[in-house]
C-alpha cells in the first residue's frame, strides 16, 4: 500500500525540456552504422538511416551533444569538412579505431535540423588548440567576411548555424582522456579558450567540465569558471547486476545534483554571479556491462535498466531548478536506446520510459508527498550522510501552467510485489477516463532483441475514475505514466 499526495500550488520549479537531450560520439557504431550508414538501402541521399531517424523522433530530443566524449580530445574538426572523398582517415586514439571523417560538422548540423534538435558541440581541449576552438565557432556562427565563415559558405552553407551551446572539453580530469589536466591547470586553460570563443560570438553559452558534481575537481572548476560559463557538467553512469542496487542508483545521481546545486549557490554568492548557472548532466545512463573499447559499448538493456531510466528522469524533474539540461549517453548502438543491424533496428527497453515521459511531461514540476514501503539494499551499510532505505515507489508530478493537466510518472521498483496506490490531489481529481501507460515486461531481467522487439514495451489501458482520490494497482516492476485532466470539462 502506497500513498501519494499532491498540492497543485506546491511548485518545485520549471522543467527545462532540454533534460531530454541526447548525445552522439564517434565511437563504435553510434554514428557510422548507426545514424549514418552510407550505401545502406535504409539510408537517404545524405546517408542518414531513415529507420533510425524515425525512432529518434519518437524520443523528442531537443538538444544533441557531439562529437564526444573521449573521442573529441583527439579530434581535429577541420578534417571533417569539405568534399567527403578528400577528407583524411586518421588513427583514433580514444577508442583505438580509425576515423574516416565522412561525418563532420556540416553533417551533424544537418542531422540536428532533420530531427529538430539544437546542436551542442564539445571542443577539443586535449590535442586541440585555442585557435581551433575559436575557428570552429567562427565556422559555425560567423557572419562576416572572414576565412572560416567563408569556408562554411564555400561548403554550401550561406546561413550561419547559430550553434549556441559549446562544451569546454570532455572529462579533462581523467587519466583515460587525451591531454588530461589537474583541476587548476584545466581552469587556466579553459578560461583562455572561453575568452576567444566568446569574443568570436558573444551569444554562445559555455559548459565547464565538471566530474561527479561534488568532488574537489568540481569545486575548483566551479570557482574558477563561474564567471565564464552558463553550465557546469556532470557525468555519472550507474548500474550493476543487482536489480535493487541499479533501480535505486538514480538517487545517488539526485544527491550529486543537489550537492552541485549547493556548490553553485555558494559560488554565486561569493562571486556575485548574476547570470544563469545550472547543471548540464551531459552524460548519464545505466552502463556497467560493456566497458571495454573492444565491446564498442554495445550494452543490452533489461527491464531493471528501463525502470532505472524512469527513476533518473523523475530525479531530473524533482531537481529541475538546478538542471539546465541532461544528455543521455548515447543515442544509437553505444549504450543506447536504439540498436541497429544492417537491415533494421529494435528499441531497447530503455527507449520506452524516455519516449513516454518526453511526450507526456508538463512544464511545472510539483512537490509530492509519498508514503511507500521501503527496501534496504542487502549488504548495505547505511552510513551517516548516505542514502537509503529507499522507497519502492518513485514519483514525479508535473502540471501545465493553466492547471488543466497533470502528468504522474510512477515507478514500482519492486521485483515481485504489485503496489496498491492511492493518489490524492488537494484540489481534487474530477471524474474521467484516465489513460494509463505501463512500461513493463515478464520479469526484471527481460530484454528486447531483433526477433523479440516487444518483450518490454508500452501497454496502454483506460481506467474509469468516479472522482475523489484515485486508487490503482501499479504492477510489480512497472513504470506507469498517467495523464489526468484537472478541470471539470
Ligand atoms: O559515453 C561513453 C564515454 O563515457 C564517453 O566517451 C566519455 O566521456 C565517458 O567516459
Ligand atoms: O572506459 C574508459 C573510461 O573509463 C571511460 O571513459 C570512463 O567513464 C571510465 O572511467
Amino acid at each position: 500500500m502506497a500513498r501519494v499526495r499532491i498540492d497543485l500550488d506546491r511548485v518545485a520549479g520549471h522543467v527545462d525540456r532540454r533534460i531530454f537531450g541526447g548525445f552522439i560520439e564517434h565511437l563504435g557504431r553510434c554514428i557510422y552504422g548507426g545514424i549514418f550508414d552510407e550505401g545502406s538501402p535504409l539510408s537517404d541521399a545524405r546517408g542518414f538511416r531513415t529507420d533510425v531517424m524515425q525512432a529518434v523522433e519518437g524520443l523528442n530530443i531537443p538538444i544533441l551533444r557531439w562529437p564526444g566524449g573521449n573521442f573529441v580530445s583527439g579530434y581535429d574538426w577541420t578534417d571533417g569538412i569539405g568534399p567527403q572523398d578528400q577528407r583524411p582517415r586518421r588513427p583514433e586514439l580514444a577508442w583505438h579505431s580509425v576515423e574516416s571523417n565522412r561525418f563532420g560538422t556540416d553533417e551533424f548540423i544537418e542531422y540536428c535540423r532533420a530531427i529538430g534538435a539544437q546542436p551542442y558541440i564539445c571542443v577539443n581541449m586535449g590535442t586541440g588548440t585555442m585557435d581551433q576552438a575559436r575557428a570552429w565557432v567562427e565556422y559555425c556562427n560567423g557572419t562576416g567576411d572572414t576565412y572560416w565563415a567563408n569556408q562554411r559558405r564555400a561548403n554550401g552553407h550561406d546561413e550561419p548555424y547559430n550553434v549556441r551551446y559549446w562544451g569546454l572539453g570532455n572529462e579533462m580530469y581523467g587519466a583515460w582522456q587525451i591531454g588530461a589536466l589537474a583541476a587548476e591547470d584545466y581552469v587556466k586553460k579553459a578560461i583562455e579558450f572561453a575568452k576567444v570563443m566568446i569574443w568570436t560570438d558573444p551569444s554562445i553559452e559555455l559548459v565547464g567540465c565538471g566530474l561527479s558534481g561534488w568532488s574537489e575537481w568540481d569545486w575548483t572548476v566551479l570557482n574558477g569558471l563561474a564567471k565564464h560559463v552558463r553550465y557546469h557538467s556532470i557525468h555519472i553512469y550507474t548500474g550493476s547486476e543487482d536489480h535493487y542496487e541499479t533501480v535505486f542508483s538514480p538517487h545517488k545521481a539526485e544527491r550529486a545534483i543537489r550537492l552541485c546545486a549547493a556548490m553553485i549557490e555558494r559560488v554565486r554568492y561569493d562571486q556575485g554571479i548574476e547570470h544563469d548557472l545550472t547543471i548540464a548532466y551531459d552524460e548519464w545512463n545505466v552502463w556497467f556491462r560493456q566497458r571495454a573499447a573492444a565491446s564498442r559499448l554495445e550494452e543490452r538493456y533489461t527491464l531493471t535498466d528501463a525502470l532505472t531510466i524512469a527513476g533518473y528522469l523523475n530525479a531530473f524533474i524533482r531537481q529541475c531548478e538546478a538542471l539546465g539540461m541532461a544528455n543521455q549517453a548515447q543515442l544509437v548502438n553505444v549504450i543506447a536506446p536504439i540498436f541497429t543491424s544492417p537491415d533494421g533496428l529494435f528499441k531497447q527497453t530503455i527507449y520506452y520510459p524516455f519516449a513516454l515521459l518526453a511526450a507526456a511531461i508538463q512544464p511545472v514540476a510539483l512537490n509530492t508527498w509519498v508514503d511507500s514501503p521501503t527496501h534496504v539494499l542487502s549488504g548495505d551499510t547505511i552510513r551517516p550522510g548516505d542514502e537509503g532505505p529507499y522507497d519502492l515507489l518513485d514519483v514525479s508530478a508535473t502540471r501545465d501552467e493553466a492547471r488543466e493537466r497533470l502528468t504522474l510518472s510512477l515507478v514500482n521498483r519492486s521485483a515481485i510485489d504489485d503496489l496498491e496506490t492511492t493518489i490524492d490531489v488537494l484540489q481534487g481529481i474530477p471524474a474521467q477516463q484516465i489513460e494509463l501507460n505501463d512500461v513493463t515486461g515478464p520479469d526484471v531481467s527481460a530484454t528486447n532483441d531483433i526477433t523479440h522487439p516487444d518483450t518490454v514495451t508500452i501497454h496502454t489501458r483506460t481506467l474509469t475514475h468516479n472522482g475523489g482520490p484515485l486508487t490503482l494497482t501499479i504492477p510489480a516492476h512497472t513504470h506507469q505514466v498517467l495523464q489526468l485532466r484537472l478541470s471539470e470539462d
Side-chain angles (χ1 to χ4, degrees):
M1 178 78 191
R3 291 185 298 161
V4 179
R5 282 193 193 157
I6 295 165
D7 175 350
L8 301 179
D9 289 325
R10 296 204 46 147
V11 172
H14 284 77
V15 185
D16 195 308
R17 272 206 55 86
R18 290 175 302 168
I19 64 168
F20 295 101
F23 168 42
I24 52 172
E25 177 170 2
H26 292 244
L27 196 185
R29 300 189 303 124
C30 180
I31 291 175
Y32 303 106
I35 69 168
F36 184 73
D37 204 357
E38 291 175 296
S40 162
L42 295 169
S43 296
D44 64 16
R46 301 169 291 190
F48 298 157
R49 279 276 292 260
T50 52
D51 57 339
V52 173
M53 255 194 293
Q54 212 183 350
V56 168
E57 277 159 16
L59 294 171
N60 268 295
I61 288 172
I63 183 166
L64 189 61
R65 179 174 181 254
W66 172 83
N70 299 340
F71 167 79
V72 77
S73 298
Y75 179 54
D76 181 345
W77 72 271
T78 64
D79 287 344
I81 54 169
Q84 277 164 313
D85 291 336
Q86 291 167 29
R87 297 183 191 172
R89 290 175 61 79
R90 304 268 190 208
E92 194 291 295
L93 302 182
W95 303 102
H96 313 294
S97 155
V98 171
E99 174 55 45
S100 72
N101 282 304
R102 293 187 68 84
F103 187 97
T105 302
D106 299 322
E107 291 76 22
F108 170 62
I109 299 292
E110 179 74 24
Y111 198 75
C112 287
R113 303 293 187 244
I115 63 166
Q118 290 273 332
Y120 163 19
I121 295 180
C122 181
V123 302
N124 176 354
M125 283 192 57
T127 62
T129 63
M130 265 162 63
D131 199 41
Q132 284 171 319
R134 61 129 219 107
W136 209 352
V137 176
E138 182 195 327
Y139 182 85
C140 291
N141 297 356
T143 52
D145 179 13
T146 57
Y147 181 80
W148 288 109
N150 286 333
Q151 286 299 115
R152 184 195 67 238
R153 294 185 186 103
N155 290 332
H157 308 280
D158 280 342
E159 293 305 313
Y161 289 149
N162 295 321
V163 177
R164 186 163 173 178
Y165 308 102
W166 293 84
L168 293 167
N170 178 72
E171 297 188 351
M172 294 306 297
Y173 46 82
W176 58 87
Q177 202 69 208
I178 300 170
L181 295 165
E184 292 75 11
D185 296 332
Y186 168 71
V187 167
K188 279 188 203 148
K189 190 169 172 180
I191 288 174
E192 299 312 311
F193 272 60
K195 279 156 44 184
V196 294
M197 291 168 72
I198 294 267
W199 290 337
T200 301
D201 179 358
S203 73
I204 63 172
E205 297 186 2
L206 298 176
V207 184
C209 172
L211 198 161
S212 62
W214 52 304
S215 66
E216 294 303 318
W217 168 282
D218 291 280
W219 183 236
T220 304
V221 169
L222 264 172
N223 272 290
L225 294 187
K227 288 193 170 68
H228 304 269
V229 300
R230 295 282 165 145
Y231 305 88
H232 179 79
S233 75
I234 295 183
H235 291 181
I236 308 172
Y237 295 95
T238 58
S240 72
E241 292 298 343
D242 184 75
H243 167 77
Y244 287 105
E245 203 173 275
T246 304
V247 286
F248 296 139
S249 65
H251 293 298
K252 309 259 180 198
E254 190 168 0
R255 173 178 57 188
I257 295 170
R258 285 197 311 267
L259 292 171
C260 188
M263 293 188 355
I264 290 174
E265 192 176 337
R266 162 88 192 272
V267 170
R268 203 188 255 299
Y269 175 78
D270 285 349
Q271 301 187 23
I273 304 288
E274 286 184 7
H275 61 251
D276 282 354
L277 182 52
T278 56
I279 297 164
Y281 194 152
D282 57 15
E283 287 189 31
W284 69 273
N285 207 340
V286 172
W287 178 27
F288 63 95
R289 301 172 184 91
Q290 306 297 338
R291 299 288 300 192
S295 72
R296 302 186 298 186
L297 284 55
E298 296 199 353
E299 193 102 340
R300 287 303 180 91
Y301 288 108
T302 63
L303 177 55
T304 294
D305 304 329
L307 302 174
T308 308
I309 272 28
Y312 266 104
L313 293 171
N314 280 352
F316 295 165
I317 291 165
R318 287 190 290 265
Q319 304 304 325
C320 63
E321 281 296 86
L323 208 58
M325 74 167 101
N327 305 73
Q328 191 180 41
Q330 297 188 9
L331 189 56
V332 184
N333 292 328
V334 173
I335 45 175
I338 300 166
F339 200 90
T340 68
S341 68
D343 43 24
L345 63 77
F346 70 91
K347 293 168 181 164
Q348 296 229 53
T349 62
I350 62 169
Y351 181 94
Y352 294 105
F354 192 113
L356 251 188
L357 260 182
I361 188 138
Q362 297 288 348
V364 181
L366 299 171
N367 287 315
T368 57
W369 177 86
V370 180
D371 180 30
S372 158
T374 57
H375 183 91
V376 178
L377 291 175
S378 58
D380 212 14
T381 47
I382 298 175
R383 63 187 171 100
D386 206 352
E387 303 274 283
Y390 296 96
D391 285 350
L392 283 169
L393 179 65
D394 188 57
V395 182
S396 78
T398 54
R399 66 157 166 83
D400 62 351
E401 301 284 356
R403 304 158 70 104
E404 284 170 356
R405 312 227 141 247
L406 177 69
T407 295
L408 295 175
S409 164
L410 308 159
V411 196
N412 178 2
R413 302 182 285 196
S414 171
I416 42 176
D417 294 323
D418 296 352
L419 209 48
E420 196 182 327
T421 304
T422 304
I423 297 162
D424 207 351
V425 174
L426 186 69
Q427 291 81 357
I429 308 173
Q432 62 194 288
Q433 296 287 105
I434 299 172
E435 189 184 281
L436 294 183
N437 285 291
D438 285 348
V439 178
T440 197
D443 59 65
V444 295
S445 64
T447 60
N448 293 342
D449 60 40
I450 204 95
T451 47
H452 308 91
D454 299 322
T455 308
V456 173
T457 190
I458 300 173
H459 302 268
T460 303
R461 59 203 162 90
T462 308
L463 188 86
T464 303
H465 175 58
N466 297 317
L470 174 69
T471 299
L472 43 78
T473 301
I474 308 172
H477 52 72
T478 296
H479 175 217
Q480 183 165 90
V481 174
L482 263 82
Q483 289 173 274
L484 303 177
R485 201 165 40 71
L486 293 169
S487 54
E488 288 295 340
D489 36 274

